[in-house]
Amino acid sequence: MSAMRAGVELLPIGAMLDLGGRELKILALLSDAGATGDVYAGALGPDGEKVAVKVAKDGVAAGWLKRFEDERVTLATLGPAADQLGDEYGIEWQVVPRYLGKGSYQGRELFAMEFVAGESVPDLLAARGRLDELQALSIALQLFFVLE
C-alpha cells in the first residue's frame, strides 16, 4: 500500500489536524484501495480514541467527490438510525461506525468515524471461502436493518 500519488502524500503519518475543535493525529495508512479515498488510522482528542479517517483522493472527477460526500452524509445519517433500530428490536450490534466529524487537509476533504476492528466481508470470504447459511443470514439481516 502506498500513500503517495504522483509525489503527493494524502495525509502524512504523524500529522496533527483539527476536527471540529478536537485534535486528530494521523497514525497509519489502513487502505488506499477505495475508489473515492484512502483510509487512515488516527487518534482523536485528549484520550486518543482510535478512529478511522477517510480522505478524498486527488484528481478524482467531480462525480467522485459527490460520491465521497454522499458516503459521509450516509454514514452520519445511518449510524443513529441503526442504533435506534437496535434499541427498538433489542439487538446489540455494530453495523455502522459512529460518524465523528469532517475536516480538510491542504484542500482535501476528509471525515472521521469510529474505528471498528474486524474483517471486511471480502477478507472474510478470501480467508474462509463460501460462508455457511447462518453467517450469510447474519450479514444479510444486518444489512436489511440498516437499509430498511
Coordinates of all heavy atoms in Angstrom, one line a residue, residues 17-100:
L17 N -4.2 17.4 12.9 CA -5.3 18.1 12.2 C -6.4 18.5 13.2 O -6.5 18.0 14.3 CB -6.0 17.1 11.2 CG -5.1 16.4 10.2 CD1 -5.9 15.4 9.4 CD2 -4.3 17.4 9.4
D18 N -7.2 19.5 12.8 CA -8.3 19.9 13.6 C -9.6 19.3 13.1 O -9.9 19.4 11.9 CB -8.4 21.4 13.6 CG -9.6 21.9 14.4 OD1 -9.6 21.8 15.6 OD2 -10.6 22.4 13.7
L19 N -10.3 18.6 13.9 CA -11.6 18.0 13.5 C -12.7 18.6 14.4 O -13.0 18.1 15.5 CB -11.6 16.5 13.7 CG -12.8 15.8 13.1 CD1 -12.7 15.8 11.5 CD2 -12.9 14.4 13.6
G20 N -13.2 19.8 14.0 CA -14.3 20.4 14.8 C -13.8 20.8 16.2 O -14.6 20.7 17.1
G21 N -12.6 21.3 16.3 CA -12.1 21.7 17.6 C -11.4 20.6 18.4 O -10.9 20.9 19.5
R22 N -11.4 19.4 17.9 CA -10.7 18.3 18.5 C -9.4 18.0 17.7 O -9.5 18.0 16.5 CB -11.6 17.1 18.6 CG -12.8 17.3 19.5 CD -13.8 16.1 19.5 NE -14.4 16.1 18.2 CZ -15.2 15.1 17.8 NH1 -15.4 14.1 18.5 NH2 -15.7 15.2 16.6
E23 N -8.4 17.7 18.4 CA -7.1 17.4 17.8 C -7.2 15.9 17.3 O -7.6 15.0 18.0 CB -6.0 17.5 18.8 CG -4.6 17.5 18.2 CD -3.6 17.8 19.2 OE1 -3.2 16.9 20.0 OE2 -3.1 19.0 19.2
L24 N -6.7 15.8 16.0 CA -6.7 14.5 15.4 C -5.3 14.2 14.9 O -4.7 15.0 14.1 CB -7.7 14.4 14.2 CG -7.6 13.2 13.2 CD1 -8.0 12.0 14.0 CD2 -8.6 13.5 12.0
K25 N -4.7 13.1 15.3 CA -3.3 12.7 14.9 C -3.5 11.5 14.0 O -4.1 10.5 14.3 CB -2.5 12.4 16.1 CG -1.1 12.0 15.7 CD -0.2 11.7 16.9 CE 1.2 11.4 16.5 NZ 2.1 11.1 17.7
I26 N -2.8 11.6 12.8 CA -2.8 10.5 11.8 C -1.7 9.5 12.2 O -0.5 9.9 12.4 CB -2.5 11.1 10.4 CG1 -3.6 12.1 10.0 CG2 -2.5 9.9 9.4 CD1 -5.0 11.6 10.1
L27 N -2.1 8.3 12.4 CA -1.2 7.2 12.9 C -0.7 6.3 11.8 O 0.5 6.0 11.8 CB -1.9 6.4 13.9 CG -2.5 7.1 15.1 CD1 -3.3 6.1 16.0 CD2 -1.4 7.7 15.9
A28 N -1.5 5.9 10.8 CA -1.1 4.9 9.8 C -2.1 4.8 8.7 O -3.2 5.1 8.9 CB -0.9 3.5 10.5
L29 N -1.6 4.4 7.5 CA -2.4 4.2 6.4 C -3.0 2.8 6.6 O -2.3 1.8 6.8 CB -1.6 4.2 5.1 CG -2.4 3.9 3.8 CD1 -3.4 4.9 3.5 CD2 -1.4 3.8 2.6
L30 N -4.3 2.7 6.5 CA -5.0 1.4 6.6 C -5.3 0.8 5.2 O -5.2 -0.4 5.0 CB -6.3 1.5 7.4 CG -6.2 1.9 8.8 CD1 -7.6 2.1 9.4 CD2 -5.4 0.9 9.6
S31 N -5.8 1.7 4.3 CA -6.1 1.2 2.9 C -6.1 2.3 1.9 O -6.6 3.4 2.2 CB -7.5 0.6 2.9 OG -7.9 0.2 1.6
D32 N -5.5 2.0 0.7 CA -5.5 3.0 -0.3 C -6.3 2.4 -1.5 O -6.1 2.9 -2.7 CB -4.1 3.5 -0.8 CG -3.3 2.4 -1.3 OD1 -3.7 1.2 -1.3 OD2 -2.1 2.7 -1.7
A33 N -7.1 1.4 -1.3 CA -7.8 0.7 -2.3 C -9.2 1.3 -2.6 O -9.9 0.8 -3.6 CB -8.0 -0.8 -1.9
G34 N -9.7 2.3 -1.9 CA -11.0 2.8 -2.1 C -11.1 3.6 -3.4 O -10.1 4.2 -3.8
A35 N -12.3 3.7 -4.0 CA -12.4 4.4 -5.2 C -12.4 5.9 -5.0 O -11.9 6.7 -5.8 CB -13.8 4.1 -5.9
T36 N -12.9 6.4 -3.9 CA -13.0 7.8 -3.6 C -12.0 8.3 -2.6 O -11.8 9.6 -2.6 CB -14.4 8.2 -3.1 OG1 -14.7 7.6 -1.9 CG2 -15.5 7.8 -4.1
G37 N -11.4 7.5 -1.8 CA -10.5 8.0 -0.8 C -9.7 6.9 -0.2 O -9.9 5.7 -0.3
D38 N -8.7 7.3 0.6 CA -7.8 6.4 1.4 C -8.3 6.5 2.8 O -8.8 7.5 3.3 CB -6.3 6.9 1.3 CG -5.7 6.7 -0.1 OD1 -6.4 6.2 -1.0 OD2 -4.6 7.2 -0.3
V39 N -8.0 5.4 3.5 CA -8.4 5.3 4.9 C -7.2 5.2 5.8 O -6.3 4.4 5.6 CB -9.4 4.1 5.2 CG1 -9.8 4.1 6.7 CG2 -10.6 4.3 4.3
Y40 N -7.1 6.0 6.9 CA -6.0 6.0 7.8 C -6.6 5.7 9.2 O -7.7 6.0 9.5 CB -5.4 7.4 7.8 CG -4.6 7.8 6.6 CD1 -5.3 8.2 5.5 CD2 -3.3 7.7 6.6 CE1 -4.6 8.6 4.3 CE2 -2.6 8.0 5.4 CZ -3.2 8.5 4.3 OH -2.6 8.8 3.1
A41 N -5.7 5.3 10.1 CA -6.0 5.2 11.5 C -5.5 6.5 12.1 O -4.6 7.1 11.7 CB -5.2 4.0 12.1
G42 N -6.3 6.9 13.1 CA -6.0 8.2 13.8 C -6.3 8.1 15.2 O -6.9 7.1 15.7
A43 N -5.9 9.1 16.0 CA -6.2 9.2 17.4 C -6.8 10.6 17.6 O -6.3 11.6 17.2 CB -4.9 9.1 18.3
L44 N -8.0 10.5 18.2 CA -8.8 11.7 18.3 C -8.9 12.2 19.8 O -9.2 11.4 20.7 CB -10.2 11.5 17.8 CG -11.2 12.6 17.8 CD1 -10.7 13.8 16.9 CD2 -12.6 12.2 17.3
G45 N -8.7 13.5 20.0 CA -8.9 14.1 21.3 C -7.9 13.8 22.3 O -6.9 13.0 22.0
P46 N -8.1 14.3 23.5 CA -7.1 14.1 24.6 C -6.9 12.7 25.0 O -5.9 12.3 25.5 CB -7.5 15.0 25.7 CG -9.0 15.3 25.4 CD -9.2 15.2 23.9
D47 N -8.0 11.9 24.9 CA -7.9 10.5 25.3 C -7.4 9.6 24.2 O -7.1 8.4 24.4 CB -9.3 10.0 25.8 CG -10.3 10.0 24.7 OD1 -10.1 10.6 23.6 OD2 -11.4 9.4 24.9
G48 N -7.2 10.1 23.0 CA -6.6 9.3 21.9 C -7.4 8.2 21.4 O -7.0 7.2 20.9
E49 N -8.8 8.5 21.4 CA -9.7 7.5 20.8 C -9.3 7.1 19.4 O -9.0 7.9 18.6 CB -11.1 8.1 20.8 CG -12.1 7.1 20.1 CD -13.5 7.8 20.0 OE1 -13.7 9.0 20.3 OE2 -14.4 7.1 19.5
K50 N -9.2 5.7 19.2 CA -8.8 5.3 17.9 C -9.9 5.4 16.9 O -11.0 5.0 17.2 CB -8.4 3.8 17.9 CG -7.7 3.3 16.6 CD -7.1 1.9 16.7 CE -6.4 1.6 15.4 NZ -5.8 0.2 15.5
V51 N -9.6 6.1 15.8 CA -10.6 6.4 14.8 C -10.1 6.0 13.4 O -8.9 5.8 13.2 CB -11.0 7.9 14.8 CG1 -11.6 8.3 16.1 CG2 -9.9 8.8 14.4
A52 N -11.0 5.9 12.4 CA -10.7 5.7 11.0 C -11.0 7.1 10.4 O -12.0 7.7 10.6 CB -11.5 4.6 10.4
V53 N -10.0 7.5 9.5 CA -10.2 8.8 8.8 C -10.1 8.5 7.3 O -9.2 7.9 6.8 CB -9.0 9.7 9.2 CG1 -9.1 11.0 8.4 CG2 -8.9 9.9 10.7
K54 N -11.1 8.9 6.6 CA -11.2 8.8 5.1 C -10.9 10.1 4.5 O -11.6 11.1 4.8 CB -12.5 8.2 4.7 CG -12.5 7.9 3.2 CD -13.6 6.9 2.8 CE -13.4 6.5 1.3 NZ -14.5 5.6 0.9
V55 N -10.0 10.2 3.6 CA -9.6 11.4 2.9 C -9.8 11.2 1.4 O -9.5 10.2 0.8 CB -8.1 11.8 3.2 CG1 -7.1 10.8 2.8 CG2 -7.8 13.2 2.6
A56 N -10.4 12.2 0.8 CA -10.6 12.2 -0.7 C -9.3 12.1 -1.4 O -8.4 12.8 -1.1 CB -11.4 13.4 -1.1
K57 N -9.3 11.3 -2.5 CA -8.1 11.2 -3.3 C -8.0 12.4 -4.2 O -9.0 13.1 -4.5 CB -8.3 10.0 -4.2 CG -8.1 8.7 -3.5 CD -8.1 7.5 -4.4 CE -7.9 6.2 -3.6 NZ -7.9 5.0 -4.4
D58 N -6.8 12.7 -4.6 CA -6.5 13.8 -5.6 C -7.0 13.4 -7.0 O -7.0 12.3 -7.4 CB -5.0 14.0 -5.7 CG -4.4 14.6 -4.5 OD1 -5.1 15.3 -3.7 OD2 -3.2 14.4 -4.2
G59 N -7.4 14.5 -7.7 CA -7.7 14.3 -9.1 C -8.9 13.5 -9.4 O -9.0 13.1 -10.6
V60 N -9.8 13.2 -8.5 CA -11.0 12.5 -8.8 C -12.0 13.4 -9.5 O -12.0 14.6 -9.1 CB -11.6 11.7 -7.6 CG1 -10.7 10.7 -7.1 CG2 -12.0 12.7 -6.5
A61 N -12.7 12.9 -10.4 CA -13.7 13.7 -11.1 C -14.8 14.2 -10.1 O -15.0 13.7 -9.0 CB -14.4 12.9 -12.2
A62 N -15.5 15.3 -10.5 CA -16.5 15.9 -9.6 C -17.5 14.9 -9.2 O -18.0 14.9 -8.0 CB -17.2 17.1 -10.4
G63 N -17.9 13.9 -10.0 CA -18.8 12.9 -9.6 C -18.3 12.1 -8.5 O -19.1 11.6 -7.6
W64 N -17.0 11.8 -8.5 CA -16.4 11.0 -7.4 C -16.4 11.8 -6.1 O -16.6 11.2 -5.0 CB -15.0 10.5 -7.7 CG -15.1 9.4 -8.8 CD1 -14.8 9.5 -10.1 CD2 -15.5 8.1 -8.5 NE1 -14.9 8.3 -10.7 CE2 -15.4 7.4 -9.8 CE3 -15.9 7.4 -7.4 CZ2 -15.7 6.0 -9.9 CZ3 -16.2 6.0 -7.6 CH2 -16.1 5.4 -8.8
L65 N -16.2 13.1 -6.2 CA -16.2 13.9 -5.0 C -17.6 14.0 -4.4 O -17.8 13.9 -3.2 CB -15.7 15.4 -5.3 CG -14.2 15.5 -5.5 CD1 -13.8 16.9 -5.9 CD2 -13.4 15.0 -4.3
K66 N -18.6 14.0 -5.3 CA -20.0 13.9 -4.8 C -20.3 12.6 -4.1 O -20.9 12.5 -3.1 CB -21.0 14.1 -5.9 CG -22.5 14.1 -5.4 CD -23.5 14.2 -6.5 CE -24.9 14.2 -6.1 NZ -25.2 13.4 -4.9
R67 N -19.7 11.5 -4.7 CA -19.9 10.2 -4.1 C -19.2 10.1 -2.7 O -19.7 9.6 -1.8 CB -19.3 9.1 -5.0 CG -19.5 7.7 -4.6 CD -19.0 6.8 -5.7 NE -18.9 5.4 -5.1 CZ -18.5 4.4 -5.8 NH1 -18.0 4.5 -7.0 NH2 -18.4 3.2 -5.2
F68 N -18.0 10.8 -2.6 CA -17.3 10.8 -1.3 C -18.2 11.6 -0.3 O -18.4 11.1 0.9 CB -16.0 11.6 -1.5 CG -15.2 11.7 -0.2 CD1 -14.3 10.7 0.2 CD2 -15.3 12.9 0.5 CE1 -13.6 10.8 1.3 CE2 -14.5 13.0 1.7 CZ -13.7 12.0 2.1
E69 N -18.8 12.7 -0.7 CA -19.6 13.5 0.2 C -20.9 12.7 0.5 O -21.4 12.7 1.7 CB -20.0 14.8 -0.4 CG -20.9 15.7 0.4 CD -20.4 16.1 1.8 OE1 -19.2 15.9 2.0 OE2 -21.2 16.6 2.6
D70 N -21.5 12.0 -0.4 CA -22.7 11.2 -0.2 C -22.4 10.1 0.8 O -23.2 9.8 1.7 CB -23.2 10.5 -1.5 CG -23.8 11.5 -2.4 OD1 -24.1 12.7 -2.0 OD2 -24.1 11.1 -3.6
E71 N -21.2 9.5 0.8 CA -20.8 8.5 1.7 C -20.7 9.1 3.1 O -21.2 8.5 4.1 CB -19.4 7.9 1.3 CG -18.9 6.8 2.2 CD -17.6 6.2 1.8 OE1 -17.2 6.5 0.6 OE2 -16.9 5.6 2.6
R72 N -20.2 10.3 3.2 CA -20.1 10.9 4.5 C -21.5 11.2 5.1 O -21.7 10.9 6.3 CB -19.3 12.2 4.4 CG -19.1 12.9 5.8 CD -18.6 14.4 5.6 NE -19.6 15.3 5.0 CZ -20.6 15.7 5.7 NH1 -20.8 15.4 7.0 NH2 -21.5 16.5 5.1
V73 N -22.3 11.7 4.3 CA -23.7 12.1 4.7 C -24.5 10.8 5.1 O -25.2 10.7 6.1 CB -24.5 12.9 3.7 CG1 -25.9 13.0 4.0 CG2 -23.8 14.2 3.5
T74 N -24.3 9.7 4.3 CA -25.0 8.5 4.6 C -24.5 7.9 6.0 O -25.3 7.5 6.8 CB -24.7 7.5 3.5 OG1 -25.3 8.0 2.3 CG2 -25.4 6.1 3.8
L75 N -23.2 7.9 6.2 CA -22.6 7.4 7.4 C -23.2 8.3 8.6 O -23.6 7.7 9.6 CB -21.1 7.5 7.4 CG -20.4 7.0 8.7 CD1 -20.6 5.5 8.9 CD2 -18.9 7.3 8.6
A76 N -23.2 9.6 8.5 CA -23.7 10.4 9.5 C -25.2 10.2 9.8 O -25.7 10.3 11.0 CB -23.5 11.9 9.2
T77 N -26.0 9.8 8.8 CA -27.4 9.5 9.0 C -27.7 8.1 9.4 O -28.6 7.9 10.3 CB -28.1 9.8 7.6 OG1 -27.8 11.1 7.1 CG2 -29.6 9.6 7.7
L78 N -27.0 7.1 8.9 CA -27.3 5.7 9.2 C -26.9 5.3 10.6 O -27.6 4.5 11.2 CB -26.7 4.8 8.2 CG -27.3 4.6 6.8 CD1 -26.5 3.6 6.0 CD2 -28.8 4.2 7.0
G79 N -25.8 5.8 11.1 CA -25.4 5.4 12.4 C -26.5 5.6 13.5 O -26.9 4.6 14.1
P80 N -27.0 6.8 13.6 CA -28.1 6.9 14.6 C -29.3 6.1 14.3 O -30.0 5.6 15.2 CB -28.4 8.4 14.6 CG -27.1 9.1 14.1 CD -26.6 8.1 13.1
A81 N -29.7 6.0 13.0 CA -30.8 5.2 12.7 C -30.6 3.7 13.0 O -31.5 3.0 13.5 CB -31.1 5.3 11.2
A82 N -29.4 3.2 12.8 CA -29.1 1.8 13.1 C -29.2 1.6 14.6 O -29.7 0.6 15.1 CB -27.8 1.4 12.5
D83 N -28.7 2.5 15.4 CA -28.7 2.4 16.8 C -30.1 2.4 17.3 O -30.5 1.6 18.2 CB -28.0 3.6 17.5 CG -26.5 3.5 17.3 OD1 -25.9 2.4 16.9 OD2 -25.8 4.6 17.5
Q84 N -31.0 3.2 16.7 CA -32.4 3.3 17.1 C -33.1 2.0 16.8 O -33.8 1.4 17.7 CB -33.1 4.4 16.4 CG -34.5 4.6 16.8 CD -35.2 5.7 16.1 OE1 -34.6 6.5 15.4 NE2 -36.5 5.9 16.3
L85 N -32.8 1.4 15.7 CA -33.4 0.1 15.3 C -32.9 -1.0 16.3 O -33.7 -1.9 16.7 CB -33.1 -0.3 13.9 CG -34.0 0.4 12.8 CD1 -33.4 0.1 11.4 CD2 -35.4 -0.1 12.9
G86 N -31.7 -1.0 16.6 CA -31.1 -2.0 17.5 C -31.8 -1.9 18.9 O -32.2 -2.9 19.4
D87 N -32.0 -0.7 19.4 CA -32.7 -0.5 20.6 C -34.2 -1.0 20.5 O -34.7 -1.6 21.4 CB -32.7 1.0 21.0 CG -31.3 1.5 21.4 OD1 -30.4 0.7 21.6 OD2 -31.2 2.7 21.5
E88 N -34.8 -0.6 19.4 CA -36.2 -1.0 19.2 C -36.4 -2.5 19.2 O -37.4 -3.0 19.7 CB -36.7 -0.4 17.9 CG -38.2 -0.5 17.6 CD -38.6 0.2 16.3 OE1 -38.2 1.4 16.1 OE2 -39.3 -0.4 15.5
Y89 N -35.5 -3.2 18.5 CA -35.6 -4.7 18.4 C -34.8 -5.4 19.5 O -34.8 -6.7 19.4 CB -35.2 -5.1 17.0 CG -36.2 -4.7 15.9 CD1 -36.0 -3.6 15.2 CD2 -37.3 -5.5 15.7 CE1 -36.9 -3.2 14.2 CE2 -38.2 -5.2 14.7 CZ -38.0 -4.0 14.0 OH -38.9 -3.6 13.0
G90 N -34.2 -4.7 20.4 CA -33.4 -5.4 21.4 C -32.2 -6.1 20.9 O -31.8 -7.1 21.5
I91 N -31.6 -5.5 19.9 CA -30.4 -6.2 19.3 C -29.2 -5.3 19.6 O -29.2 -4.1 19.4 CB -30.6 -6.3 17.7 CG1 -31.8 -7.1 17.4 CG2 -29.3 -6.9 17.1 CD1 -32.1 -7.0 15.9
E92 N -28.1 -5.9 20.1 CA -26.8 -5.2 20.3 C -26.0 -5.6 19.1 O -25.7 -6.7 18.8 CB -26.2 -5.7 21.6 CG -26.8 -5.0 22.8 CD -25.9 -5.2 24.0 OE1 -24.7 -5.1 23.9 OE2 -26.5 -5.4 25.1
W93 N -25.6 -4.6 18.3 CA -24.8 -4.8 17.1 C -23.9 -3.6 16.8 O -24.2 -2.5 17.3 CB -25.7 -5.2 16.0 CG -26.7 -4.1 15.6 CD1 -27.0 -2.9 16.2 CD2 -27.7 -4.3 14.6 NE1 -28.0 -2.3 15.6 CE2 -28.5 -3.1 14.7 CE3 -28.0 -5.2 13.7 CZ2 -29.6 -2.9 13.8 CZ3 -29.1 -5.0 12.8 CH2 -29.9 -3.8 12.9
Q94 N -23.0 -3.8 16.0 CA -22.1 -2.7 15.5 C -22.2 -2.8 14.0 O -21.4 -3.4 13.3 CB -20.7 -2.9 16.0 CG -19.7 -1.9 15.4 CD -20.1 -0.5 16.0 OE1 -20.2 -0.3 17.2 NE2 -20.2 0.5 15.1
V95 N -23.3 -2.2 13.4 CA -23.5 -2.3 12.0 C -22.8 -1.1 11.3 O -22.2 -1.3 10.2 CB -25.0 -2.3 11.7 CG1 -25.2 -2.4 10.2 CG2 -25.7 -3.4 12.4
V96 N -22.9 0.0 11.8 CA -22.4 1.2 11.2 C -21.5 2.0 12.2 O -22.0 2.2 13.3 CB -23.6 2.2 10.7 CG1 -23.1 3.4 10.1 CG2 -24.5 1.4 9.8
P97 N -20.3 2.3 11.8 CA -19.5 3.1 12.7 C -20.1 4.5 13.0 O -20.7 5.1 12.1 CB -18.1 3.2 12.0 CG -18.4 2.7 10.6 CD -19.7 2.1 10.5
R98 N -19.8 5.0 14.2 CA -20.2 6.3 14.6 C -19.5 7.3 13.7 O -18.3 7.3 13.6 CB -19.9 6.6 16.0 CG -21.0 6.6 17.0 CD -20.5 6.8 18.4 NE -19.2 6.3 18.7 CZ -18.2 7.1 19.2 NH1 -18.3 8.4 19.4 NH2 -17.0 6.6 19.4
Y99 N -20.2 8.3 13.2 CA -19.6 9.4 12.4 C -19.1 10.4 13.5 O -19.8 10.8 14.4 CB -20.7 10.0 11.5 CG -20.3 11.3 10.9 CD1 -19.4 11.3 9.8 CD2 -20.8 12.5 11.4 CE1 -19.0 12.5 9.2 CE2 -20.4 13.7 10.8 CZ -19.5 13.7 9.7 OH -19.1 14.9 9.1
L100 N -17.9 10.9 13.3 CA -17.3 11.8 14.3 C -17.0 13.2 13.8 O -16.7 14.0 14.6 CB -16.0 11.1 14.8 CG -16.2 9.8 15.5 CD1 -14.8 9.1 15.7 CD2 -17.0 9.9 16.7

